[in-house]
Amino acid sequence: MQTIAQAQATIQDDFATEVLNGLSRRPRSIPCRFLYDARGSELFEQITGLEEYYPTRTEIGLLERHADDIAEMAGEDVAIVEFGSGSSRKTEILIAALPELDAYVAIDISAAALSEAAIRLRERFPGLEVITVTGDFNDAIDLPDKLIRTRKLGFFPGSTIGNLGKNEAIGFLKTARELLGADGALLIGVDLKKDESILVPAYDDSEGVTAAFNLNLLTRINRELGGTFDLAKFAHEAIYNAEAGRMEIYITSREDQEVTVLGQPFSFARGERIHTENSHKYALADIAAMAEAAGWTHARAWVDDNNLFSVNMLTQAG
Ligand code: TRP
């Protein structure tokens, strides 16, 4: 096992490499996991409370409304393993509905978000064992040995699966299936296809919180990699790509300019973009097909009355 300091150092090297590579290739892109430093995680929490950002409240509504069904499918004496736990607010609903819960394993890229959530959960659920793992949920994860025999319910809310490409998403579902074991299940929140008039404001809100979240990546590069980005000279852009069925998020240069990162110069033409995120939107049939391609059974889906969002229970065949 790595220490938290080692994990943070690995993340740091990774950041330098990914940013330099990402700014050197065309089209430019930087992996979305770097949006979530302490400030980014805070801004993301603000996004989840915005009027225009329907996914969080809709998913929370579904979890609350169907908590008993979910608990019944999950069974007793399980451990929850959450991929990208953030504030763990949604997990709290599950934990409250699962009285026989053995342990909660929270995996997140932000050490700050993890420790804050762990403190809150240990206080609210004194009998619950809370285990935190700092890192990318896409990497190989070692679960504590004592959980080997415990049945595991994976939890992957927030439509984070939509932030992966389609093949990556199937790859993630396969890895999760192996980690969760032959008697494991996976509860996964997936945003549904819908009109652009709802989607675009969800990723470009009127208060500019999403813009601040996206542009915070430049602040992070300035601070951690000696970057010289002037935030006033870049804009947040959110575009719906209908053909690919996804929202695409960019940081766009407002003028011709040169920026340095770790001493390396990068020139931007006006309108040139850095791609920072995709958020794929799926139909229930797509979700079932991806689950099955990864060896899961799409056992059940819960959808809100407005058909905005889905919570899906994947189980193992047999
Ligand atoms: N999983 C979230 C989503 O796809 C992440 C997200 C919300 C996001 N708003 C964003 C990522 C803005 C980048 C920029 O909805």
Side-chain angles (χ1 to χ4, degrees):
M1 285 287 271
Q2 305 192 94
T3 65
I4 288 181
Q6 281 165 337
Q8 288 297 335
T10 313
I11 291 165
Q12 191 62 23
D13 291 350
D14 193 37
F15 185 42
T17 311
E18 294 284 358
V19 168
L20 292 178
N21 289 343
L23 293 178
S24 304
R25 70 177 153 244
R26 297 301 146 87
R28 292 181 155 139
S29 65
I30 297 175
C32 62
R33 65 179 181 279
F34 298 113
L35 293 167
Y36 301 86
D37 63 352
R39 177 70 184 141
S41 295
E42 221 171 80
L43 286 164
F44 185 71
E45 277 308 299
Q46 277 183 47
I47 290 176
T48 63
L50 293 169
E51 183 54 38
E52 292 109 319
Y53 194 72
Y54 61 86
T56 308
R57 65 169 173 279
T58 311
E59 187 175 33
I60 287 175
L62 286 169
L63 292 171
E64 282 172 345
R65 185 160 159 197
H66 303 291
D68 291 344
D69 276 2
I70 293 168
E72 198 182 308
M73 284 187 90
E76 292 183 351
D77 297 313
V78 289
I80 294 177
V81 178
E82 182 169 9
F83 303 96
S85 52
S87 69
S88 299
R89 288 281 171 205
K90 295 166 190 167
T91 333
E92 232 172 305
I93 302 166
L94 288 184
I95 295 171
L98 289 164
E100 301 295 321
L101 192 66
D102 269 24
Y104 168 45
V105 182
I107 306 162
D108 202 85
I109 198 88
S110 167
L114 273 176
S115 69
E116 208 180 297
I119 289 167
R120 198 185 73 242
L121 289 173
R122 286 178 183 130
E123 204 165 306
R124 177 166 173 199
F125 305 102
L128 178 70
E129 182 168 14
V130 179
I131 299 160
T132 59
V133 180
T134 309
D136 183 349
F137 61 74
N138 264 308
D139 292 344
I141 285 147
D142 282 326
L143 293 179
D145 286 346
K146 62 181 166 215
L147 292 184
I148 289 175
R149 284 170 190 288
T150 311
R151 232 156 37 77
K152 289 171 269 291
L153 172 67
F155 187 39
F156 195 34
S159 207
T160 307
I161 192 160
N163 302 131
L164 306 174
K166 229 182 195 159
N167 290 332
E168 283 176 296
I170 294 169
F172 168 81
L173 291 172
K174 282 185 185 158
T175 312
R177 197 163 61 85
E178 277 151 30
L179 183 78
L180 298 169
D183 54 359
L186 179 62
L187 187 66
I188 177 168
V190 187
D191 199 13
L192 298 174
K193 280 210 153 58
K194 63 182 61 65
D195 200 83
E196 210 173 314
S197 64
I198 301 175
L199 285 173
V200 172
Y203 293 86
D204 192 6
D205 63 277
S206 56
E207 288 170 53
V209 181
T210 310
F213 170 64
N214 194 20
L215 293 172
N216 175 59
L217 180 61
L218 302 183
T219 307
R220 180 176 185 186
I221 294 173
N222 288 348
R223 185 183 59 242
E224 295 181 24
L225 307 177
T228 62
F229 284 100
D230 176 353
L231 267 66
K233 294 184 179 169
F234 288 87
H236 164 71
E237 256 193 292
I239 292 162
Y240 185 60
N241 178 338
E243 205 180 318
R246 66 185 183 219
M247 286 301 303
E248 297 177 351
I249 313 297
Y250 298 94
I251 295 172
T252 306
S253 181
R254 293 183 189 270
E255 53 189 72
D256 294 346
Q257 55 182 315
E258 193 173 280
V259 174
T260 356
V261 176
L262 288 170
Q264 252 180 258
F266 295 96
S267 58
F268 286 86
R270 179 174 174 200
E272 201 173 335
R273 297 152 151 180
I274 307 169
H275 179 238
T276 55
E277 179 80 291
N278 283 325
S279 187
H280 291 83
K281 308 302 166 189
Y282 292 112
L284 284 182
D286 303 327
I287 299 165
M290 288 194 297
E292 272 146 39
W296 289 99
T297 300
H298 188 229
R300 180 99 196 247
W302 296 274
V303 174
D304 59 290
D305 296 338
N306 300 315
N307 277 305
L308 293 173
F309 201 90
S310 68
V311 171
N312 304 266
M313 183 69 88
L314 310 188
T315 57
Q316 305 271 23

PDB file of all heavy atoms in Angstrom, residues 77-99:
ATOM      1  N   ASP A  77     -25.107  -7.663   4.965  1.00  0.00           N
ATOM      2  CA  ASP A  77     -23.664  -7.926   5.112  1.00  0.00           C
ATOM      3  C   ASP A  77     -22.884  -7.648   3.835  1.00  0.00           C
ATOM      4  O   ASP A  77     -22.116  -8.492   3.372  1.00  0.00           O
ATOM      5  CB  ASP A  77     -23.420  -9.375   5.564  1.00  0.00           C
ATOM      6  CG  ASP A  77     -24.040  -9.608   6.930  1.00  0.00           C
ATOM      7  OD1 ASP A  77     -23.836  -8.763   7.806  1.00  0.00           O
ATOM      8  OD2 ASP A  77     -24.744 -10.621   7.093  1.00  0.00           O
ATOM      9  N   VAL A  78     -23.108  -6.506   3.254  1.00  0.00           N
ATOM     10  CA  VAL A  78     -22.315  -6.108   2.095  1.00  0.00           C
ATOM     11  C   VAL A  78     -21.388  -4.966   2.499  1.00  0.00           C
ATOM     12  O   VAL A  78     -21.579  -4.315   3.526  1.00  0.00           O
ATOM     13  CB  VAL A  78     -23.185  -5.629   0.909  1.00  0.00           C
ATOM     14  CG1 VAL A  78     -23.928  -6.771   0.269  1.00  0.00           C
ATOM     15  CG2 VAL A  78     -24.125  -4.519   1.319  1.00  0.00           C
ATOM     16  N   ALA A  79     -20.387  -4.747   1.659  1.00  0.00           N
ATOM     17  CA  ALA A  79     -19.548  -3.554   1.788  1.00  0.00           C
ATOM     18  C   ALA A  79     -19.805  -2.711   0.545  1.00  0.00           C
ATOM     19  O   ALA A  79     -19.917  -3.250  -0.560  1.00  0.00           O
ATOM     20  CB  ALA A  79     -18.083  -3.942   1.873  1.00  0.00           C
ATOM     21  N   ILE A  80     -19.916  -1.399   0.728  1.00  0.00           N
ATOM     22  CA  ILE A  80     -20.054  -0.511  -0.430  1.00  0.00           C
ATOM     23  C   ILE A  80     -18.661  -0.066  -0.862  1.00  0.00           C
ATOM     24  O   ILE A  80     -17.843   0.334  -0.028  1.00  0.00           O
ATOM     25  CB  ILE A  80     -20.896   0.737  -0.078  1.00  0.00           C
ATOM     26  CG1 ILE A  80     -22.343   0.338   0.241  1.00  0.00           C
ATOM     27  CG2 ILE A  80     -20.868   1.764  -1.221  1.00  0.00           C
ATOM     28  CD1 ILE A  80     -23.220   1.514   0.678  1.00  0.00           C
ATOM     29  N   VAL A  81     -18.389  -0.149  -2.158  1.00  0.00           N
ATOM     30  CA  VAL A  81     -17.136   0.360  -2.719  1.00  0.00           C
ATOM     31  C   VAL A  81     -17.510   1.444  -3.724  1.00  0.00           C
ATOM     32  O   VAL A  81     -18.158   1.161  -4.734  1.00  0.00           O
ATOM     33  CB  VAL A  81     -16.346  -0.765  -3.445  1.00  0.00           C
ATOM     34  CG1 VAL A  81     -15.067  -0.213  -4.054  1.00  0.00           C
ATOM     35  CG2 VAL A  81     -16.044  -1.922  -2.489  1.00  0.00           C
ATOM     36  N   GLU A  82     -17.127   2.687  -3.425  1.00  0.00           N
ATOM     37  CA  GLU A  82     -17.540   3.791  -4.296  1.00  0.00           C
ATOM     38  C   GLU A  82     -16.376   4.311  -5.136  1.00  0.00           C
ATOM     39  O   GLU A  82     -15.301   4.623  -4.631  1.00  0.00           O
ATOM     40  CB  GLU A  82     -18.140   4.943  -3.478  1.00  0.00           C
ATOM     41  CG  GLU A  82     -18.627   6.074  -4.377  1.00  0.00           C
ATOM     42  CD  GLU A  82     -19.455   7.125  -3.656  1.00  0.00           C
ATOM     43  OE1 GLU A  82     -19.514   7.085  -2.404  1.00  0.00           O
ATOM     44  OE2 GLU A  82     -20.025   7.985  -4.346  1.00  0.00           O
ATOM     45  N   PHE A  83     -16.633   4.423  -6.440  1.00  0.00           N
ATOM     46  CA  PHE A  83     -15.616   4.867  -7.389  1.00  0.00           C
ATOM     47  C   PHE A  83     -15.792   6.367  -7.650  1.00  0.00           C
ATOM     48  O   PHE A  83     -16.738   6.770  -8.322  1.00  0.00           O
ATOM     49  CB  PHE A  83     -15.763   4.080  -8.693  1.00  0.00           C
ATOM     50  CG  PHE A  83     -15.680   2.582  -8.508  1.00  0.00           C
ATOM     51  CD1 PHE A  83     -16.836   1.815  -8.382  1.00  0.00           C
ATOM     52  CD2 PHE A  83     -14.446   1.952  -8.421  1.00  0.00           C
ATOM     53  CE1 PHE A  83     -16.758   0.440  -8.201  1.00  0.00           C
ATOM     54  CE2 PHE A  83     -14.361   0.579  -8.244  1.00  0.00           C
ATOM     55  CZ  PHE A  83     -15.519  -0.183  -8.129  1.00  0.00           C
ATOM     56  N   GLY A  84     -14.888   7.187  -7.099  1.00  0.00           N
ATOM     57  CA  GLY A  84     -15.015   8.641  -7.269  1.00  0.00           C
ATOM     58  C   GLY A  84     -16.036   9.188  -6.287  1.00  0.00           C
ATOM     59  O   GLY A  84     -17.094   9.680  -6.676  1.00  0.00           O
ATOM     60  N   SER A  85     -15.719   9.106  -4.992  1.00  0.00           N
ATOM     61  CA  SER A  85     -16.741   9.334  -3.963  1.00  0.00           C
ATOM     62  C   SER A  85     -17.028  10.808  -3.688  1.00  0.00           C
ATOM     63  O   SER A  85     -18.093  11.130  -3.156  1.00  0.00           O
ATOM     64  CB  SER A  85     -16.330   8.624  -2.678  1.00  0.00           C
ATOM     65  OG  SER A  85     -15.002   8.989  -2.325  1.00  0.00           O
ATOM     66  N   GLY A  86     -16.097  11.703  -4.005  1.00  0.00           N
ATOM     67  CA  GLY A  86     -16.342  13.133  -3.785  1.00  0.00           C
ATOM     68  C   GLY A  86     -16.804  13.414  -2.372  1.00  0.00           C
ATOM     69  O   GLY A  86     -16.148  13.040  -1.407  1.00  0.00           O
ATOM     70  N   SER A  87     -17.975  14.034  -2.241  1.00  0.00           N
ATOM     71  CA  SER A  87     -18.494  14.403  -0.915  1.00  0.00           C
ATOM     72  C   SER A  87     -19.184  13.232  -0.205  1.00  0.00           C
ATOM     73  O   SER A  87     -19.543  13.356   0.962  1.00  0.00           O
ATOM     74  CB  SER A  87     -19.502  15.539  -1.061  1.00  0.00           C
ATOM     75  OG  SER A  87     -20.660  15.040  -1.712  1.00  0.00           O
ATOM     76  N   SER A  88     -19.408  12.118  -0.896  1.00  0.00           N
ATOM     77  CA  SER A  88     -20.133  10.957  -0.341  1.00  0.00           C
ATOM     78  C   SER A  88     -21.562  11.283   0.097  1.00  0.00           C
ATOM     79  O   SER A  88     -22.143  10.558   0.901  1.00  0.00           O
ATOM     80  CB  SER A  88     -19.383  10.327   0.849  1.00  0.00           C
ATOM     81  OG  SER A  88     -18.123   9.858   0.475  1.00  0.00           O
ATOM     82  N   ARG A  89     -22.153  12.355  -0.414  1.00  0.00           N
ATOM     83  CA  ARG A  89     -23.518  12.731  -0.004  1.00  0.00           C
ATOM     84  C   ARG A  89     -24.552  11.678  -0.433  1.00  0.00           C
ATOM     85  O   ARG A  89     -25.489  11.381   0.301  1.00  0.00           O
ATOM     86  CB  ARG A  89     -23.922  14.074  -0.634  1.00  0.00           C
ATOM     87  CG  ARG A  89     -23.218  15.266  -0.048  1.00  0.00           C
ATOM     88  CD  ARG A  89     -23.840  15.686   1.272  1.00  0.00           C
ATOM     89  NE  ARG A  89     -22.997  16.705   1.885  1.00  0.00           N
ATOM     90  CZ  ARG A  89     -22.931  16.977   3.186  1.00  0.00           C
ATOM     91  NH1 ARG A  89     -23.672  16.298   4.040  1.00  0.00           N
ATOM     92  NH2 ARG A  89     -22.142  17.903   3.638  1.00  0.00           N
ATOM     93  N   LYS A  90     -24.383  11.165  -1.649  1.00  0.00           N
ATOM     94  CA  LYS A  90     -25.358  10.179  -2.135  1.00  0.00           C
ATOM     95  C   LYS A  90     -25.207   8.861  -1.386  1.00  0.00           C
ATOM     96  O   LYS A  90     -26.190   8.169  -1.121  1.00  0.00           O
ATOM     97  CB  LYS A  90     -25.164   9.954  -3.635  1.00  0.00           C
ATOM     98  CG  LYS A  90     -25.471  11.193  -4.458  1.00  0.00           C
ATOM     99  CD  LYS A  90     -24.960  11.069  -5.874  1.00  0.00           C
ATOM    100  CE  LYS A  90     -25.061  12.397  -6.580  1.00  0.00           C
ATOM    101  NZ  LYS A  90     -24.284  12.369  -7.833  1.00  0.00           N
ATOM    102  N   THR A  91     -23.952   8.526  -1.064  1.00  0.00           N
ATOM    103  CA  THR A  91     -23.683   7.278  -0.360  1.00  0.00           C
ATOM    104  C   THR A  91     -24.360   7.271   0.994  1.00  0.00           C
ATOM    105  O   THR A  91     -24.773   6.218   1.490  1.00  0.00           O
ATOM    106  CB  THR A  91     -22.169   7.109  -0.147  1.00  0.00           C
ATOM    107  OG1 THR A  91     -21.497   7.810  -1.160  1.00  0.00           O
ATOM    108  CG2 THR A  91     -21.785   5.651  -0.147  1.00  0.00           C
ATOM    109  N   GLU A  92     -24.458   8.446   1.586  1.00  0.00           N
ATOM    110  CA  GLU A  92     -25.086   8.563   2.895  1.00  0.00           C
ATOM    111  C   GLU A  92     -26.517   8.018   2.853  1.00  0.00           C
ATOM    112  O   GLU A  92     -26.977   7.401   3.813  1.00  0.00           O
ATOM    113  CB  GLU A  92     -25.091  10.040   3.310  1.00  0.00           C
ATOM    114  CG  GLU A  92     -24.501  10.241   4.669  1.00  0.00           C
ATOM    115  CD  GLU A  92     -24.303  11.708   5.029  1.00  0.00           C
ATOM    116  OE1 GLU A  92     -23.645  12.429   4.256  1.00  0.00           O
ATOM    117  OE2 GLU A  92     -24.800  12.088   6.087  1.00  0.00           O
ATOM    118  N   ILE A  93     -27.200   8.229   1.738  1.00  0.00           N
ATOM    119  CA  ILE A  93     -28.570   7.725   1.582  1.00  0.00           C
ATOM    120  C   ILE A  93     -28.556   6.194   1.590  1.00  0.00           C
ATOM    121  O   ILE A  93     -29.374   5.556   2.244  1.00  0.00           O
ATOM    122  CB  ILE A  93     -29.189   8.250   0.266  1.00  0.00           C
ATOM    123  CG1 ILE A  93     -29.181   9.780   0.253  1.00  0.00           C
ATOM    124  CG2 ILE A  93     -30.597   7.693   0.055  1.00  0.00           C
ATOM    125  CD1 ILE A  93     -29.456  10.388  -1.116  1.00  0.00           C
ATOM    126  N   LEU A  94     -27.581   5.621   0.870  1.00  0.00           N
ATOM    127  CA  LEU A  94     -27.476   4.156   0.817  1.00  0.00           C
ATOM    128  C   LEU A  94     -27.112   3.590   2.176  1.00  0.00           C
ATOM    129  O   LEU A  94     -27.682   2.587   2.615  1.00  0.00           O
ATOM    130  CB  LEU A  94     -26.387   3.736  -0.178  1.00  0.00           C
ATOM    131  CG  LEU A  94     -26.644   3.903  -1.658  1.00  0.00           C
ATOM    132  CD1 LEU A  94     -25.471   3.318  -2.436  1.00  0.00           C
ATOM    133  CD2 LEU A  94     -27.942   3.200  -2.051  1.00  0.00           C
ATOM    134  N   ILE A  95     -26.147   4.226   2.824  1.00  0.00           N
ATOM    135  CA  ILE A  95     -25.682   3.719   4.121  1.00  0.00           C
ATOM    136  C   ILE A  95     -26.849   3.698   5.112  1.00  0.00           C
ATOM    137  O   ILE A  95     -27.039   2.723   5.846  1.00  0.00           O
ATOM    138  CB  ILE A  95     -24.506   4.565   4.657  1.00  0.00           C
ATOM    139  CG1 ILE A  95     -23.286   4.421   3.726  1.00  0.00           C
ATOM    140  CG2 ILE A  95     -24.136   4.149   6.085  1.00  0.00           C
ATOM    141  CD1 ILE A  95     -22.130   5.372   4.029  1.00  0.00           C
ATOM    142  N   ALA A  96     -27.642   4.762   5.095  1.00  0.00           N
ATOM    143  CA  ALA A  96     -28.787   4.835   6.013  1.00  0.00           C
ATOM    144  C   ALA A  96     -29.800   3.735   5.713  1.00  0.00           C
ATOM    145  O   ALA A  96     -30.484   3.258   6.614  1.00  0.00           O
ATOM    146  CB  ALA A  96     -29.432   6.210   5.917  1.00  0.00           C
ATOM    147  N   ALA A  97     -29.875   3.317   4.430  1.00  0.00           N
ATOM    148  CA  ALA A  97     -30.856   2.296   4.042  1.00  0.00           C
ATOM    149  C   ALA A  97     -30.324   0.872   4.220  1.00  0.00           C
ATOM    150  O   ALA A  97     -31.069  -0.093   4.098  1.00  0.00           O
ATOM    151  CB  ALA A  97     -31.268   2.504   2.586  1.00  0.00           C
ATOM    152  N   LEU A  98     -29.037   0.733   4.485  1.00  0.00           N
ATOM    153  CA  LEU A  98     -28.409  -0.592   4.591  1.00  0.00           C
ATOM    154  C   LEU A  98     -27.878  -0.801   6.016  1.00  0.00           C
ATOM    155  O   LEU A  98     -26.673  -0.665   6.251  1.00  0.00           O
ATOM    156  CB  LEU A  98     -27.247  -0.723   3.591  1.00  0.00           C
ATOM    157  CG  LEU A  98     -27.611  -0.827   2.119  1.00  0.00           C
ATOM    158  CD1 LEU A  98     -26.404  -0.559   1.233  1.00  0.00           C
ATOM    159  CD2 LEU A  98     -28.186  -2.195   1.792  1.00  0.00           C
ATOM    160  N   PRO A  99     -28.742  -1.158   6.952  1.00  0.00           N
ATOM    161  CA  PRO A  99     -28.316  -1.240   8.352  1.00  0.00           C
ATOM    162  C   PRO A  99     -27.263  -2.325   8.600  1.00  0.00           C
ATOM    163  O   PRO A  99     -26.497  -2.229   9.546  1.00  0.00           O
ATOM    164  CB  PRO A  99     -29.616  -1.519   9.110  1.00  0.00           C
ATOM    165  CG  PRO A  99     -30.567  -2.043   8.090  1.00  0.00           C
ATOM    166  CD  PRO A  99     -30.153  -1.488   6.774  1.00  0.00           C
TER     167      PRO A  99
END
